[in-house]
Amino acid sequence: SQTIHQWPATLVQPVGSPLSLECTVEGTSNPNLYWYRQAAGRGLQLLFYSVGIGQISSEVPQNLSASRPQDRQFILSSKKLLLSDSGFYLCAWGQGFSYNEQFFGPGTRLTVL
Amino acid sequence: GENVEQHPSTLSVQEGDSAVIKCTYSDSASNYFPWYKQELGKRPQLIIDIRSNVGEKKDQRIAVTLNKTAKHFSLHITETQPEDSAVYFCAAIGGYNKLIFGAGTRLAVHP
């Protein structure tokens, strides 16, 4: 069966510091991968998606970037965090265009101080 | 692009009553509509979904209906229980299997 991991689970970072969040998927190959952000008490905003290694599409202009160095690894980064980057970051995977279901990882709660 | 609107934003019911959450979508090409349940501090969990080739789908106490003509879909929870309390999100599929989410409904079930 498929499993999706995210780490760290929680993170407190000062403004201006760098960020690296990692997501890995097990039990599947060539998944579509997604990064979402959820501000406190709010909905889910799609940040990036990837249909393959090295292929990244950005949904909104922002202070973040994403990379997919391996088939089942998705990384979210920032060079300099802003206060507004605080939130709950969720990675999700889906099998592909014929299978629409998406499943979320456990999330990383980021607080920028 | 695709837009999904969800109502109500909060819903309070007594245990045993039914709860209905409604969503509308803008892209007539959308053909997949999932519902997620998110408990406090946890990840969203897929609870039920429907594809555009059917009008209704049931799974025990939950059901989803779809009206493609009106571009509406709804979640129905019957015989609500306190453990149904959570935030529920609807979504519609866009290009590249991107899910566009509604803003969420906070459901409170009171004993």
Side-chain angles (χ1 to χ4, degrees):
Chain A
S1 63
Q2 299 84 7
T3 309
I4 180 168
H5 303 278
Q6 284 186 249
W7 63 89
T10 59
L11 192 59
V12 180
Q13 291 284 99
V15 170
S17 63
L19 174 74
S20 182
L21 303 181
E22 189 164 343
C23 170
T24 59
V25 182
E26 296 177 354
T28 187
S29 59
N30 197 31
N32 291 343
L33 296 173
Y34 308 86
W35 277 113
Y36 292 87
R37 177 169 62 199
Q38 186 175 35
R42 306 293 294 274
L44 295 151
Q45 180 187 32
L46 179 63
L47 302 176
F48 300 94
Y49 68 93
S50 172
V51 298
I53 296 174
Q55 301 179 60
I56 308 295
S57 295
S58 174
E59 284 297 292
V60 293
Q62 57 209 324
N63 185 41
L64 303 168
S65 62
S67 62
R68 185 170 176 175
Q70 301 181 43
D71 181 45
R72 290 169 287 179
Q73 184 185 31
F74 205 21
I75 297 172
L76 184 70
S77 304
S78 174
K79 292 182 179 178
K80 287 186 178 181
L81 284 168
L82 306 172
L83 285 174
S84 58
D85 292 324
S86 294
F88 192 37
Y89 288 81
L90 290 153
C91 181
W93 77 274
Q95 188 54 70
F97 299 119
S98 298
Y99 302 91
N100 302 124
E101 293 88 345
Q102 282 188 28
F103 302 96
F104 287 89
T108 294
R109 192 163 304 279
L110 171 66
T111 303
V112 183
L113 301 175
Chain B
E2 175 72 281
N3 184 49
V4 176
E5 294 192 1
Q6 183 172 347
H7 301 279
S9 57
T10 60
L11 181 58
S12 182
V13 300
Q14 290 297 122
E15 183 177 0
D17 289 349
S18 295
V20 180
I21 302 170
K22 300 182 179 182
C23 290
T24 61
Y25 61 98
S26 60
D27 187 354
S28 56
S30 289
N31 61 4
Y32 174 70
F33 308 92
W35 287 87
Y36 287 83
K37 175 184 179 182
Q38 187 178 28
E39 297 177 344
L40 189 63
K42 297 189 177 180
R43 75 183 90 181
Q45 298 273 18
L46 179 66
I47 57 171
I48 194 167
D49 54 17
I50 190 167
R51 301 182 191 280
S52 58
N53 58 345
V54 298
E56 184 176 4
K57 183 177 178 181
K58 285 184 178 180
D59 183 2
Q60 299 182 343
R61 294 187 298 108
I62 60 174
V64 57
T65 59
L66 172 64
N67 182 330
K68 284 182 60 181
T69 303
K71 291 189 280 187
H72 289 172
F73 58 112
S74 300
L75 177 71
H76 304 253
I77 306 174
T78 58
E79 300 174 26
T80 53
Q81 301 168 3
E83 51 265 39
D84 293 329
S85 297
V87 179
Y88 291 81
F89 292 97
C90 65
I93 201 82
Y96 291 101
N97 268 17
K98 295 183 293 182
L99 285 178
I100 309 303
F101 284 87
T105 296
R106 185 172 300 278
L107 173 65
V109 180
H110 301 285

